[in-house]
Amino acid sequence: QVQLVESGGNLVQPGGSLRLACVASGFTFDTYAMAWVRQAPGKELQWVSAISHSGYTKRYASFVKGRFTISRDNDQNTLYLDMKNLQPDDTAMYYCAAKYIMGLVVTSDNRNDYDGWGQGTQVTVSS
């Protein structure tokens, strides 16, 4: 059973940085592509970034604009999202998601396209 637990969300001032983590269990982490998806209050789910099972391939949403970096540690079964120059528009619940697929990335914001989904971690950007 795919289990994902996010952490690292916090209240941060505009221009600040955060590192989100997602600890995976219950499945063979290094055979799954991973992604970060967010949902702002009152808005639809929005795909943020994705990484292939090996970490070799990475993709980012255009609004990331070089501010976010996705990475993974397959030895520690952990996915990361390093975020810098955060802005109020980045305020959202951030979810990590897993898809059993090798060699590809998943760039969907549809929960049904993933095999597992975390409970989310809240990022609030405000002065």
Side-chain angles (χ1 to χ4, degrees):
Q1 181 180 359
V2 174
Q3 295 186 334
L4 302 167
V5 179
E6 302 95 332
S7 63
N10 211 333
L11 171 63
V12 63
Q13 292 186 340
S17 300
L18 281 175
R19 179 178 232 204
L20 306 184
C22 171
V23 177
S25 62
F27 64 103
T28 306
F29 184 67
D30 62 4
T31 64
Y32 280 65
M34 300 295 294
W36 289 97
V37 181
R38 72 184 187 184
Q39 187 168 30
K43 295 190 176 181
E44 301 289 320
L45 287 169
Q46 185 179 39
W47 172 77
V48 175
S49 183
I51 189 168
S52 61
H53 75 289
S54 65
Y56 182 78
T57 303
K58 303 177 183 181
R59 296 287 185 268
Y60 298 95
S62 58
F63 61 79
V64 169
K65 299 177 182 177
R67 300 181 298 127
F68 294 3
T69 302
I70 192 170
S71 62
R72 65 189 295 161
D73 183 338
N74 285 347
D75 291 332
Q76 297 297 322
N77 288 355
T78 304
L79 173 73
Y80 299 100
L81 185 68
D82 289 292
M83 307 185 293
K84 63 181 181 181
N85 193 22
L86 284 162
Q87 300 301 316
D89 284 348
D90 295 316
T91 295
M93 185 72 77
Y94 284 71
Y95 301 94
C96 69
K99 175 69 176 178
Y100 178 57
I101 192 167
M102 298 178 70
L104 299 175
V105 293
V106 182
T107 60
S108 172
D109 54 16
N110 186 335
R111 195 162 178 159
N112 293 327
D113 289 336
Y114 295 93
D115 299 310
W117 193 270
Q119 86 291 344
T121 187
Q122 178 67 41
V123 173
T124 302
V125 185
S126 175
S127 55

